[in-house]
Amino acid sequence: MSDLGPDPTGNPDPTGHHEPTGDHGPKPTQPDNPDRGPNPAGVPASTPDHHHTSTLSRDRTRTLGRERLAGRISRFDRSHRVDRTLAHAITRVTGEALGPYQSAVIRIGFAATWLLFLLREFPHREELYGPDGPWSWDLAQQLIASNHAFTALMWADGQVWFGIVYAFAVLSSFLLMLGWRTRTMSVLFMVGVLSLQNRSIFMGDGGDNVIHLMAIYLVLTRCGQVWSLDERRERRARDARARGAWVGPDRAGPVLWTVLGLVLAAATLAGKIDGGFLGGWRTIYWGLWAVQGLWWLVGRYGRSVQPRILLDVVANLVHNAALFVIMAEACLIYATAGWYKIQGTRWQDGTAVYYPLHLDYFSPWPALSDLLSASGTLMLLVTYGTVIVQVAFPFTLFNRRVKNVLLAAMITEHAVIAVVLGLPFFSLAMIAADAVFLPTSFLRRVGGWAARARGRLFSRLGRTFRTVPRPRKEPERTPETAETAEPPHVGFTA
């Protein structure tokens, strides 16, 4: 045994000699197979080929590990991306009422269309919907009893009650167009539309049917967010609070809600509204009245913001769903009209537009109708173009540029129908329905133009009616006063 003791490397030499360590000599290695015993000194444990194969195996293992890890990360990223997109969509749907400008446009458009129609037909109102119409009171009662439609005109028979309901419809349309108490006026607008149209259902056309449906959908939308008196009132109150001024409580809203509640209670007790408390128009009206009262109570006396946030989320969901239904309704109208036109032989041979231009009932401008129908090529292009636009429009909603082009074509078509065929209110109703697809940037630009035009109009009216003050007599200037006079100021002085 050596006096130096065991090898510092932990490998004692059986011959008693100690192999140098460090960089002075080769370092012995352990055998690959322990059954073979120790290798002779200086003989490597593995050959170069075996070492190269082991290196490639390790590299291949690392590469496969990296690929598996990359695949897992990619799958995680895809799932995370889907979750993020879904969370963003849910936040958008519940966090805000989408399409504020589009909903404001359809509110203004349908209210203005119905208002203009009522004003134009004012001399003939009793023949259309009143007691002097061809659809008598007894026939209306039989029809209402069978289809359970709502109409306030059936509550009493007489010209006085008819005049009250007609004036009510005119007033609610005007106030809804301005956006005053939009939630309440949307319900009253629906009541006015249903009361008149359900009284004489054979007096309407396609435009009246569109107004009938949209009046119901507007109740479910928050259509007074922009371009309304409600938005201006809220903005002024918000600015006053920011300045630290005191803003008094709303008094017109509770008074209006109380009066309408009393009217609804009287009509219910008198049995004028069809349906029980589990269905029918009675449940709908009482439910809307209760929701409006709950909204006001939470906003006025709520101690925390959670109930108001919950009501806002529910209102946003209902608004977005109703806006989607309005868009789907417009697409359905054009799709059904286009596919039914394809089945007609006159639309197939390109002569369908020619015949309405020569009907006396649809020819307010006979010279213009004759001028347009004189060209067979123009009639062919208009006929085929109408069918193509109506059929293709629902499929172009996912392409913004193509959708805007077809939308402009359809609005132009309805404008031509209003002038050439003498159907202004049908065209206005369809243009109002088409407005739900207009781009927000375009609507904002139109709103800016309207605001500037209104400002110029009011300024001109103010200058016209303003009293011009008499010129004030200036004192005579002397050399002494001229030296002490101050230089003239431009603008306001401090």
Side-chain angles (χ1 to χ4, degrees):
M1 296 294 291
S2 174
D3 297 335
L4 298 178
D7 194 314
T9 61
N11 297 322
D13 190 359
T15 61
H17 298 285
H18 192 71
E19 291 293 333
T21 59
D23 297 335
H24 300 285
K27 182 179 180 181
T29 59
Q30 295 292 336
D32 294 339
N33 192 352
D35 297 335
R36 296 179 180 180
N39 289 336
V43 179
S46 59
T47 61
D49 294 339
H50 181 72
H51 178 71
H52 181 66
T53 303
S54 301
T55 304
L56 292 178
S57 177
R58 286 194 299 270
D59 293 342
R60 188 177 298 108
T61 302
R62 293 194 187 99
T63 303
L64 292 175
R66 293 193 189 99
E67 292 178 354
R68 291 175 181 175
L69 181 60
R72 293 175 182 175
I73 294 175
S74 178
R75 289 193 297 270
F76 175 77
D77 290 340
R78 287 196 297 269
S79 61
H80 183 63
R81 192 181 305 113
V82 171
D83 294 341
R84 187 169 60 249
T85 304
L86 183 60
H88 177 70
I90 294 175
T91 303
R92 285 267 298 174
V93 172
T94 60
E96 61 179 333
L98 302 177
Y101 291 92
Q102 287 79 4
S103 58
V105 166
I106 61 177
R107 183 202 82 224
I108 297 172
F110 284 109
T113 302
W114 183 243
L115 176 63
L116 293 176
F117 174 77
L118 295 179
L119 294 179
R120 194 198 71 168
E121 299 297 339
F122 186 80
H124 313 286
R125 62 189 184 280
E126 295 185 356
E127 289 80 6
L128 288 175
Y129 306 111
D132 297 337
W135 193 250
S136 64
W137 174 269
D138 296 333
L139 292 177
Q141 276 189 330
Q142 296 177 14
L143 182 62
I144 296 300
S146 61
N147 60 12
H148 303 284
F150 172 82
T151 171
L153 288 178
M154 302 306 298
W155 294 358
D157 185 12
Q159 295 182 352
V160 176
W161 177 246
F162 172 77
I164 293 175
V165 174
Y166 200 90
F168 169 82
V170 172
L171 181 61
S172 61
S173 303
F174 179 72
L175 294 178
L176 180 63
M177 183 181 64
L178 296 181
W180 184 80
R181 308 291 171 177
T182 311
R183 294 190 184 96
T184 303
M185 288 304 122
S186 62
V187 179
L188 299 183
F189 175 75
M190 179 187 68
V191 171
V193 171
L194 297 181
S195 297
L196 294 177
Q197 291 189 356
N198 289 336
R199 169 62 176 83
S200 301
I201 61 174
F202 299 105
M203 296 298 175
D205 55 9
D208 294 324
N209 295 334
V210 174
I211 295 175
H212 191 105
L213 295 174
M214 296 303 174
I216 299 176
Y217 300 151
L218 280 175
V219 176
L220 305 176
T221 62
R222 307 181 73 173
C223 53
Q225 299 179 96
V226 296
W227 298 343
S228 65
L229 296 180
D230 292 342
E231 186 268 337
R232 187 182 70 170
R233 184 179 64 254
E234 293 180 0
R235 185 178 66 250
R236 289 181 175 180
R238 186 170 55 251
D239 295 341
R241 294 189 189 97
R243 295 192 305 267
W246 180 78
V247 179
D250 182 22
R251 301 185 184 279
V255 171
L256 184 62
W257 180 79
T258 303
V259 172
L260 293 178
L262 294 176
V263 173
L264 185 59
T268 302
L269 294 176
K272 299 297 184 180
I273 304 178
D274 189 22
F277 285 98
L278 296 178
W281 288 104
R282 186 182 304 173
T283 304
I284 293 175
Y285 289 139
W286 278 113
L288 294 173
W289 183 81
V291 168
Q292 184 69 13
L294 178 63
W295 186 280
W296 182 82
L297 289 174
V298 170
R300 180 67 184 277
Y301 298 104
R303 296 183 178 180
S304 62
V305 297
Q306 282 79 9
R308 183 58 183 266
I309 292 176
L310 177 60
L311 291 180
D312 279 331
V313 169
V314 174
N316 292 335
L317 284 173
V318 175
H319 165 88
N320 296 330
L323 198 63
F324 176 78
V325 171
I326 291 174
M327 299 172 66
E329 186 71 30
C331 292
L332 184 62
I333 290 174
Y334 284 116
T336 53
W339 287 107
Y340 271 108
K341 286 182 175 64
I342 290 178
Q343 303 175 21
T345 57
R346 294 291 178 263
W347 291 96
Q348 294 175 4
D349 59 23
T351 60
V353 179
Y354 175 84
Y355 297 100
L357 294 176
H358 291 80
L359 295 176
D360 295 336
Y361 187 76
F362 296 105
S363 299
W365 315 98
L368 181 60
S369 300
D370 294 338
L371 179 63
L372 294 177
S373 61
S375 174
T377 304
L378 180 61
M379 292 293 98
L380 179 67
L381 293 177
V382 172
T383 302
Y384 285 168
T386 301
V387 176
I388 293 173
V389 168
Q390 291 182 353
V391 172
F393 178 74
F395 301 98
T396 61
L397 296 180
F398 300 100
N399 191 314
R400 183 176 301 178
R401 295 182 178 179
V402 179
K403 182 261 295 182
N404 292 337
V405 172
L406 292 185
L407 189 61
M410 289 191 301
I411 293 176
T412 304
E413 178 187 3
H414 288 304
V416 173
I417 290 175
V419 176
V420 177
L421 298 182
L423 298 173
F425 299 107
F426 166 78
S427 299
L428 286 176
M430 294 307 303
I431 291 174
D434 295 338
V436 73
F437 300 103
L438 290 176
T440 303
S441 58
F442 174 76
L443 294 177
R444 287 179 176 177
R445 193 177 302 114
V446 172
W449 295 341
R452 287 191 293 270
R454 183 186 60 185
R456 287 194 296 266
L457 178 61
F458 286 168
S459 62
R460 291 179 181 178
L461 293 177
R463 287 195 302 267
T464 302
F465 294 102
R466 186 182 303 151
T467 303
V468 180
R470 295 182 179 179
R472 185 173 57 184
K473 185 177 181 181
E474 297 290 341
E476 296 181 0
R477 299 177 63 88
T478 61
E480 291 79 6
T481 58
E483 294 178 357
T484 59
E486 297 181 357
H489 296 279
V490 178
F492 295 99
T493 58

